[in-house]
Amino acid sequence: MERRTPPQTDEGWFVLHDFRTVDWDAWRDAPDHERRRAIEEGVSFLADCERVTDADEGSSATFAILGHEADLLIVHLRPTMADLEVLERRFEHTALAGFTEQTDSFVSVTEVSGYVSSAYFEDEEVDPGIQRYINMRLHPEIPDAEYVNFYPMDKRRGEEDNWYDLPFDERAEHLASHGELGKQYAGKVTQVISSSIGFDDHEWGVTLFADDPTNIKDLLYEMRFDPSTSRYAEFGRFYVGRRFAPENLGAYLAGEPVPQEAASDAHAGAGGHPHAADDAGESAADHPHADEGAGSPPRGDDGEAVRSELEELGVYAGKPHGEDVHAVVLYSGADADELFEEVDGLRTNFDHYDSHVKTAVYESEDPEAETAVVSLWETDRAANTAAGFLADLPDVVRQAGDDDDDSWGTMGMFYTVKPEHREDFVSTFEEVGGLLGEMDGHRKSDLLANREDENDMFIASRWDSREDAMAFFRSDAFSETVQYGRDVLADRPRHVFLA
């Protein structure tokens, strides 16, 4: 008897989908003071969940479910199952719980398996792009998308079609093909897949998030024709809902129109927003870029101080809260031609989305320098989703904003150099590069040009510290460079900090 070896797995955060129906007759008959108390306690509980006041990490969200299956869905992701158990009981102590009944639930845990990377499970060096993808699978954040779709599923174990009897290579091929379909919806649909084997009646739970619910329908429809679904997948009940901020619970219970976000944007607090982080831990998608785009300045008091200093020097360092366009910037050690081909395929899909501004590959004339990929989006949500797909590009070595916090990075995007001055600009960069090499704390600077538009360039620099970078910005050499730029550039440069 042949016994197949199961692929190894690694687990991340535990997930609870808590489905509730509202006893509308009891709600209508309740005195005003009881309803007010229920709303106040419900808002407080849900807002605390979305701020993750109960744990160091995690994410929560509240949705209004359409159809008869439920009225409300509360989704929690937490580091331990015990965290979920406490949240489930804590809700029952609110006055709101007295007007609801838990009609369904799903308990699971985020997971990666050997299908993704054998090196990860063999303690070998893992490609940075794959490692970033694994981290996103194990510790996902609930995106700010308006609609949610949830369904449980199993892999078929029939007499004719049995997923678990297939050889590993065949299963891996099925999953790779399935994943390629999902990539076509980058920027439109975000998914969280969690394992429920031994925890619930099905083997996996799939949660899809999108701003347009028809994108979820289209994705699932296409996947029905993929053999890994048509032959080997079985599904449980499907749920669809619309997200709302806890502060809008009263409007929901009153039957009024419910905005997705509260005026205070309270659900964008720690853990409840895909980019909630302090300065040292922001994702690359949290760095807005302008027009053809430079990255964002640092946030908080330190960021304001840097902007003020540069303003006194006559240098524009971006707006305090971004430039209306958001970006992902990654660096890769792959062959530039191979990288461009991969990026061009993703860009073809990105171009279907109204929120996509631009995705381009930037190369340096220095053969030792890394190649950069810059992807610009109108919303940070779309940029964050795109980052997950871009992380799969070959030989990604780092992502801007994810650098070690023992250094300070700047990214000056010089928009467009006037064509007649391009050679002069490159020559001047080489001269400035020589000066930089003699400055304390300077690690490296690279000039990169868009391979599809040689006049579209940016300079990426890294310093030992913020003060080392500021010393350069205060120098006569930098002042002369800025003045020179006004003559050769089609637009003013921005000098932007990434770490």
Side-chain angles (χ1 to χ4, degrees):
M1 177 184 294
E2 180 183 4
R3 181 183 181 276
R4 301 200 183 278
T5 302
Q8 291 178 276
T9 64
D10 195 12
E11 288 70 38
W13 287 347
F14 291 84
V15 190
L16 171 64
H17 291 73
D18 188 352
F19 294 92
R20 302 269 169 170
T21 58
V22 176
D23 186 340
W24 293 108
D25 289 335
W27 181 256
R28 284 188 293 268
D29 293 340
D32 288 345
H33 71 276
E34 288 188 11
R35 288 189 289 184
R36 282 195 300 270
R37 180 188 170 202
I39 292 171
E40 290 172 1
E41 293 187 8
V43 168
S44 178
F45 171 81
L46 296 173
D48 282 348
C49 289
E50 297 204 11
R51 286 192 293 266
V52 197
T53 60
D54 57 290
D56 294 332
E57 298 178 293
S59 189
S60 293
T62 308
F63 301 88
I65 296 296
L66 286 78
H68 74 283
E69 295 96 343
D71 294 308
L72 294 171
L73 164 62
I74 310 170
V75 180
H76 302 296
L77 290 90
R78 292 295 188 273
T80 71
M81 187 174 284
D83 294 328
L84 299 181
E85 187 267 332
V86 171
L87 286 175
E88 193 170 16
R89 278 190 295 112
R90 187 174 295 171
F91 177 78
E92 294 296 348
H93 283 273
T94 68
L96 177 64
F99 293 96
T100 72
E101 179 183 353
Q102 188 179 49
T103 54
D104 202 353
S105 65
F106 200 83
V107 179
S108 56
V109 63
T110 59
E111 176 189 79
V112 293
S113 69
Y115 298 114
V116 175
S117 170
S118 59
Y120 176 80
F121 292 95
E122 295 170 3
D123 295 326
E124 299 176 359
E125 184 176 353
V126 180
D127 179 270
I130 296 296
Q131 184 63 61
R132 190 174 293 109
Y133 172 76
I134 289 172
N135 292 339
M136 291 174 62
R137 287 286 300 268
L138 293 177
H139 307 110
E141 294 285 356
I142 298 175
D144 253 351
E146 185 168 1
Y147 290 94
V148 67
N149 175 278
F150 171 77
Y151 60 92
M153 65 168 292
D154 298 314
K155 287 299 186 182
R156 186 165 293 150
R157 301 192 299 275
E159 293 183 6
E160 182 175 349
D161 293 317
N162 189 325
W163 172 261
Y164 296 97
D165 280 344
L166 295 178
F168 175 87
D169 291 345
E170 191 171 343
R171 280 179 273 130
E173 185 178 351
H174 274 294
L175 293 176
S177 173
H178 203 66
E180 288 301 314
L181 275 177
K183 288 182 180 180
Q184 296 177 20
Y185 287 80
K188 283 190 174 183
V189 180
T190 302
Q191 68 176 10
V192 174
I193 300 176
S194 51
S195 172
S196 50
I197 296 176
F199 296 159
D200 223 300
D201 294 339
H202 293 267
E203 296 174 333
W204 287 277
V206 180
T207 312
L208 305 176
F209 303 91
D211 283 322
D212 183 346
T214 62
N215 288 329
I216 295 175
K217 178 259 185 188
D218 291 343
L219 169 61
L220 294 176
Y221 177 68
E222 286 194 44
M223 286 189 168
R224 287 294 190 276
F225 292 89
D226 183 70
S228 65
T229 297
S230 63
R231 291 187 61 184
Y232 297 106
E234 296 180 341
F235 303 96
R237 170 171 283 177
F238 282 72
Y239 294 87
V240 63
R242 181 173 180 269
R243 185 170 184 172
F244 67 88
E247 288 76 3
N248 295 325
L249 176 64
Y252 169 80
L253 292 169
E256 299 171 357
V258 182
Q260 178 194 1
E261 297 183 357
S264 63
D265 196 28
H267 77 277
H273 187 286
H275 314 302
D278 57 21
D279 289 346
E282 292 173 275
S283 69
D286 213 11
H287 294 281
H289 285 39
D291 304 322
E292 292 304 307
S296 76
R299 301 183 175 197
D301 295 338
D302 188 52
E304 189 58 48
V306 171
R307 277 189 297 275
S308 298
E309 287 187 57
L310 291 180
E311 185 176 356
E312 292 175 2
L313 298 172
V315 179
Y316 179 60
K319 299 177 184 178
H321 303 294
E323 304 283 351
D324 300 326
V325 178
H326 307 260
V328 182
V329 183
L330 304 101
Y331 295 89
S332 170
D335 175 78
D337 291 335
E338 176 189 356
L339 184 66
F340 178 79
E341 184 176 346
E342 294 279 347
V343 170
D344 196 41
L346 282 175
R347 182 170 58 184
T348 300
N349 295 325
F350 290 166
D351 284 340
H352 289 103
Y353 314 134
D354 294 337
S355 57
H356 181 235
V357 176
K358 167 185 172 181
T359 298
V361 174
Y362 289 78
E363 298 177 79
S364 170
E365 294 184 359
D366 180 359
E368 300 298 320
E370 299 152 350
T371 303
V373 178
V374 177
S375 188
L376 307 177
W377 297 80
E378 291 182 358
T379 67
D380 58 357
R381 181 165 60 241
N384 186 59
T385 301
F389 293 93
L390 292 166
D392 289 337
L393 291 171
D395 296 334
V396 172
V397 294
R398 63 188 174 90
Q399 183 168 321
D402 287 347
D403 307 274
D404 294 337
D405 56 9
D406 66 343
S407 62
W408 186 264
T410 71
M411 178 176 164
M413 184 72 77
F414 289 94
Y415 297 160
T416 303
V417 180
K418 295 175 183 177
E420 64 271 22
H421 290 296
R422 187 183 189 282
E423 292 185 7
D424 296 335
F425 179 78
V426 174
S427 176
T428 300
F429 170 77
E430 293 174 352
E431 295 176 10
V432 174
L435 295 173
L436 286 171
E438 300 173 1
M439 297 197 68
D440 291 338
H442 177 258
R443 296 190 181 185
K444 62 180 296 188
S445 288
D446 294 314
L447 175 65
L448 299 98
N450 186 340
R451 65 177 288 154
E452 297 169 277
D453 179 1
E454 65 176 5
N455 299 311
D456 174 18
M457 304 183 187
F458 74 83
I459 297 173
S461 297
R462 186 140 296 277
W463 303 79
D464 286 345
S465 68
R466 168 190 182 280
E467 186 51 42
D468 290 327
M470 293 305 298
F472 169 65
F473 290 129
R474 297 187 194 102
S475 69
D476 292 339
F478 179 75
S479 178
E480 294 171 3
T481 301
V482 171
Q483 183 59 47
Y484 168 77
R486 292 191 175 102
D487 297 327
V488 304
L489 301 178
D491 208 332
R492 61 180 174 176
R494 287 176 171 85
H495 297 273
V496 179
F497 301 87
L498 298 176

